Amino acid sequence: KLILAWAFFVWQAIQPGNVFAGETTWQSDWEKTVKAAEQEGEVAYSASGSYRFLDEFHKAFAKIKTVVVSLSCSDVVSRIMTERRAGKYLADVVRCGMTSAHSLYRAKTLQPISAAFILPEVKDPAKWWQGRHHYGDGEAKYLFIPAGSAYVRFASYNKELVNPADFKSYWDLLNPKWKGKIVATDPRTGEGRNGARFLYYNPELGSQYLRRLLTEMDLTLSRDYRQATDWLAQKRYALFLFSQSDDTLTASQQGLPVQVLDTTGFKEGVGLDPIGGAVALMDKPAHPNAAKVLINWLLSREGQLAVQRDPESAGRNDSLRNDIPKTEVH
């Protein structure tokens, strides 16, 4: 009877949907994937910005070397597309700003990133802000957004020309008194795209607001953040829209009369900025198993902690995981 009872227990445990069977399955899949990744020996990570957090990945997976392609996001895309035209598929995991990431998405060079998810903590949407995974593509499959922060780089101002208390809404920027006194990052590039995107998709602003801002306010457009910040400090302009807050704060610390405009109290709210862009999985990765290991680690609690603690990120990598502390985030 004991033998029969034990046999029944084992049979029951391995049935589909059983918690024990599920646990055994993912652990087995994970072990096989890690072993295969170690045989591949390396993973190609293409991105802009700091990648110091990968030091922690190396500690966890010493047998998997990371080959980092560190370029601007536009150059990452150009390199990948050039390689593919030559019949070479060398990239595995990519992390780029949303514009460049969408270029890869539209070119159909990606596969659904969830195909790589193995660890339960990565699969579980409850571990993430709002209880869901966040994506930057319309299909919510390809461009995974692991980090975000309140969009506080909307504008900077000259303290001798502007009283920040006069601004309680984005509509206040359309006051005729500011006509011809605003410089803005070109909406076709960098922070200009981010700012214009926020205005366009805000339900209380939208295309009407963006059209009026661009056509009625006699804006001067720039693609050079430092130059625009200098113009602001020199009183050539009173306001700098779609600014780089780091440039403004550095100038302020140097004694120049500039400061970041605090929009957190604006009645239309603030946007959520996808810090660091989106993580994507190439459709034909050179090292498919190592790519899965890197993605699972990167989106795990351990990986997101490492990203937040990256010493070169200046505390900007605010992970959307809700099960990790935010002591490193500024």
Side-chain angles (χ1 to χ4, degrees):
K1 290 183 178 180
L2 285 174
I3 293 175
L4 288 174
W6 176 250
F8 177 75
F9 174 80
V10 172
W11 174 85
Q12 189 178 45
I14 64 175
Q15 294 309 298
N18 185 280
V19 65
F20 299 112
E23 183 175 351
T24 301
T25 298
W26 81 256
Q27 287 181 331
S28 176
D29 288 347
W30 180 241
E31 290 171 0
K32 290 178 181 177
T33 302
V34 171
K35 184 176 181 179
E38 291 175 344
Q39 291 176 343
E40 291 171 352
E42 63 183 36
V43 58
Y45 175 77
S46 304
S48 65
S50 175
Y51 52 89
R52 287 280 299 280
F53 59 86
L54 290 177
D55 292 345
E56 297 301 315
F57 176 78
H58 298 150
K59 293 177 183 178
F61 303 96
K63 296 182 180 180
I64 305 174
K65 175 185 176 183
T66 52
V67 178
V68 177
V69 177
S70 181
L71 298 168
S72 69
C73 288
S74 60
D75 286 342
V76 165
V77 173
S78 295
R79 177 171 176 150
I80 289 174
M81 298 309 297
T82 299
E83 290 171 348
R84 291 173 72 96
R85 285 193 291 271
K88 298 178 180 179
Y89 298 86
L90 307 179
D92 293 316
V93 178
V94 177
R95 184 172 185 176
C96 282
M98 298 310 300
T99 300
S100 296
H102 269 276
S103 295
L104 294 174
Y105 168 67
R106 291 193 298 271
K108 300 185 183 303
T109 64
L110 308 174
Q111 62 176 296
I113 193 170
S114 61
F117 295 171
I118 299 175
L119 299 179
E121 64 161 306
V122 174
K123 287 185 174 183
D124 185 4
K127 302 295 185 184
W128 298 84
W129 179 61
Q130 294 185 328
R132 65 186 180 92
H133 292 149
H134 294 266
Y135 291 88
D137 62 280
E139 296 180 71
K141 292 181 179 180
Y142 299 90
L143 306 179
F144 193 99
I145 300 175
S149 184
Y151 179 55
V152 295
R153 302 192 298 278
F154 180 78
S156 300
Y157 65 96
N158 184 295
K159 295 190 291 184
E160 297 177 2
L161 301 177
V162 172
N163 180 0
D166 292 340
F167 294 91
K168 297 179 174 59
S169 165
Y170 295 95
W171 290 98
D172 293 331
L173 290 165
L174 300 187
N175 188 318
K177 69 183 287 187
W178 303 120
K179 184 174 181 179
K181 299 179 181 179
I182 302 175
V183 61
T185 303
D186 193 324
R188 292 164 292 190
T189 185
E191 289 300 330
R193 278 193 297 251
N194 292 337
R197 188 182 296 122
F198 162 69
L199 296 175
Y200 183 85
Y201 285 106
N202 188 303
E204 298 182 52
L205 301 170
S207 59
Q208 176 192 2
Y209 177 91
L210 187 58
R211 186 179 300 109
R212 289 188 58 188
L213 177 67
L214 295 175
T215 60
E216 296 180 12
M217 298 309 294
D218 193 18
L219 299 183
T220 296
L221 300 182
S222 173
R223 294 193 175 194
D224 188 326
Y225 301 114
R226 296 286 180 86
Q227 180 187 60
T229 301
D230 287 343
W231 287 344
L232 188 68
Q234 296 164 9
K235 299 184 183 180
R236 291 182 59 177
Y237 299 95
L239 293 155
F240 175 17
L241 302 189
F242 317 144
S243 61
Q244 279 276 30
S245 57
D246 289 351
D247 291 336
T248 301
L249 293 175
T250 298
S252 179
Q253 291 168 0
Q254 294 172 350
L256 298 175
V258 297
Q259 188 52 268
V260 176
L261 183 64
D262 183 3
T263 60
T264 56
F266 282 20
K267 70 183 187 69
E268 297 88 4
V270 296
L272 184 67
D273 197 5
I275 296 295
V279 177
L281 175 63
M282 300 306 298
D283 62 343
K284 298 178 181 179
H287 312 93
N289 293 289
K292 289 182 179 180
V293 172
L294 177 57
I295 285 175
N296 278 270
W297 177 86
L298 181 61
L299 302 183
S300 71
R301 185 176 187 276
E302 178 185 356
Q304 287 297 288
L305 277 169
V307 171
Q308 278 196 172
R309 292 171 178 166
D310 188 317
E312 296 182 8
S313 72
R316 290 190 295 264
N317 289 331
D318 188 355
S319 173
L320 292 180
R321 280 192 70 116
N322 56 26
D323 60 348
I324 61 177
K326 301 296 181 180
T327 51
E328 294 86 6
V329 179
H330 303 303

